[in-house]
């Protein structure tokens, strides 16, 4: 399946580079700010959905069952929503999208890194997830806004679709890579340590999430969106701006 996916991706890129009406124009992806922004979006959503797969495995042996675990997980989307709604009140008014994205990614990286050391259990998981949601709720809107502000008006809808594609890729990798890392970690811990806990097993996975968040922070620091290009005016004699 991996070989088939790589072959299909190579064929798709080759087709897109040659056709007159590509679904994803290669010329847009050659823009450094856009490419960095899309990579940042994928990292952000990977870090967002990764804990939603990881935490239920960590707390599987705790009291309360699935219902309690689900309630504890709600701390992450609650933190994300509050940050997205109240970010203007939490951050200085003079900060641009680049600084906001950097601050949110650094907060996420710090919490993921701390989770490698601080045990994740029923008592600590709510503040940990809430802070992760807060950081990502600052980073993701700032990153997406920076992408759209650096996009020409004529390409806005296409770039919006690319952002949605990056979100889907990040979500898919957040689910699949975290499940794979947990599965591999369970085998290694069972082979070397009979008295391991879920929190200990999750440490390498949280380290991976910290690296992803650090990558998002580096992207936010390196990205500088170009000013939006003005929309072209219709030529004289053109029936309408839409046709032009």
């Amino acid at each position: 399946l991996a070989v088939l996916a790589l072959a299909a991706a190579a064929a798709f890129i080759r087709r897109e580079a040659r056709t007159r009406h590509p679904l994803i124009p290669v010329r847009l992806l050659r823009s450094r700010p856009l490419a960095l922004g899309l990579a940042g979006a994928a990292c952000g959503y990977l870090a967002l959905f990764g804990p939603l797969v990881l935490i239920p495995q960590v707390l599987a042996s705790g009291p309360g069952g699935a219902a309690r675990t689900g309630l504890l997980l709600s701390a992450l989307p609650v933190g994300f929503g509050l940050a997205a709604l109240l970010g203007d009140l939490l951050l200085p008014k003079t900060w641009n999208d680049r600084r906001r994205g950097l601050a949110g990614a650094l907060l996420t990286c710090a919490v993921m890194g701390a989770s490698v050391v601080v045990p994740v259990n029923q008592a600590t998981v709510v503040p940990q997830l809430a802070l992760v949601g807060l950081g990502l709720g600052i980073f993701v809107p700032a990153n997406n806004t920076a992408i759209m502000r650096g996009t020409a008006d004529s390409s806005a809808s296409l770039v919006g679709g690319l952002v949605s594609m990056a979100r889907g890729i990040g979500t898919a990798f957040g689910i699949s890579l975290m499940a794979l890392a947990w599965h591999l970690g369970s085998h290694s811990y069972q082979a070397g340590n009979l008295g391991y806990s879920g929190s200990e097993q999750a440490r390498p996975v949280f380290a991976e999430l910290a690296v992803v968040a650090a990558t998002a922070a580096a992207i936010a620091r390196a990205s500088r969106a170009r000013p939006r290009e003005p929309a072209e005016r219709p030529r004289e004699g053109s029936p309408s701006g839409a046709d032009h």
Side-chain angles (χ1 to χ4, degrees), residues 150-196:
T151 302
D153 292 334
S154 58
S155 303
S157 59
L158 176 59
V159 173
L162 291 177
V163 172
S164 296
M165 182 187 71
R167 179 174 64 244
I169 291 174
T171 301
F173 275 104
I175 295 173
S176 59
L177 291 183
M178 293 306 101
L180 176 61
W182 177 265
H183 176 73
L184 296 176
S186 65
H187 283 282
S188 63
Y189 269 91
Q190 288 173 358
N193 183 10
L194 297 178
Y196 72 96

Side-chain angles (χ1 to χ4, degrees), residues 79-80 83 100-109 111 129-141:
F80 187 96
R100 293 184 179 204
L102 178 60
L106 287 177
L107 175 59
T108 304
C109 181
V111 177
L129 288 179
L131 288 174
V132 168
L134 186 67
L136 292 173
I138 295 172
F139 169 77
V140 171

Side-chain angles (χ1 to χ4, degrees), residues 10 15 17 21 51 62 75 80 92 112 158 193 201-202 207 211 232:
R15 169 70 176 175
H21 303 288
F80 187 96
M112 294 297 189
L158 176 59
N193 183 10
Q201 182 181 335
V211 171
E232 295 184 29

